[in-house]
Amino acid sequence: MVQTMLSSAPVVVFSKTYCPYCKIAKDALQKAVTDEYVKVYELDTMSEGSSIQAQLPALSGIKTVPQVFLNKEFIGDGSTIAAMYKTGELTEKLRKAGLLN
């Protein structure tokens, strides 16, 4: 199921609606790239959310959310994504992935 979810968009975010770090990551992504390239899965609103979150450490090495993937590759959590946005690294990754002009 997680692999199918990772195929749903170039940028996939596993999040929870109440999580402040998730908001930080989603805000940074919203500033960096158009919504058409981003799919957010709010695990706390999904019946299988706990099962999905239990599978993520095998891909990312971390248990917490948010987890942000670019072209099925884990690129960071909330703090990492925010820092990457501030330094321009996120924009560069998105550009290299063909999501920005």
Side-chain angles (χ1 to χ4, degrees):
M1 176 186 278
V2 172
Q3 288 300 325
T4 301
M5 296 167 90
L6 290 173
S7 298
S8 65
V11 179
V12 175
V13 182
F14 294 97
S15 175
K16 291 188 177 175
T17 57
Y18 57 83
C19 167
Y21 290 98
C22 296
K23 181 172 177 16
I24 289 168
K26 292 182 285 190
D27 287 349
L29 286 166
Q30 190 173 38
K31 293 174 189 172
V33 67
T34 61
D35 288 345
E36 69 182 293
Y37 296 120
V38 180
K39 175 67 177 171
V40 177
Y41 291 98
E42 299 291 1
L43 299 179
D44 60 314
T45 66
M46 302 169 66
S47 60
E48 63 278 1
S50 293
S51 173
I52 293 165
Q53 188 168 355
Q55 296 174 46
L56 293 176
L59 300 171
S60 65
I62 64 171
K63 295 180 181 181
T64 58
V65 292
Q67 293 190 30
V68 181
F69 291 80
L70 175 60
N71 292 329
K72 301 181 186 178
E73 178 186 333
F74 177 68
I75 61 168
D77 61 7
S79 299
T80 303
I81 297 301
M84 288 170 61
Y85 176 73
K86 286 181 183 175
T87 65
E89 184 182 351
L90 180 61
T91 302
E92 186 58 29
K93 281 187 178 289
L94 295 168
R95 183 175 284 107
K96 285 182 180 178
L99 306 181
L100 304 175
N101 294 331

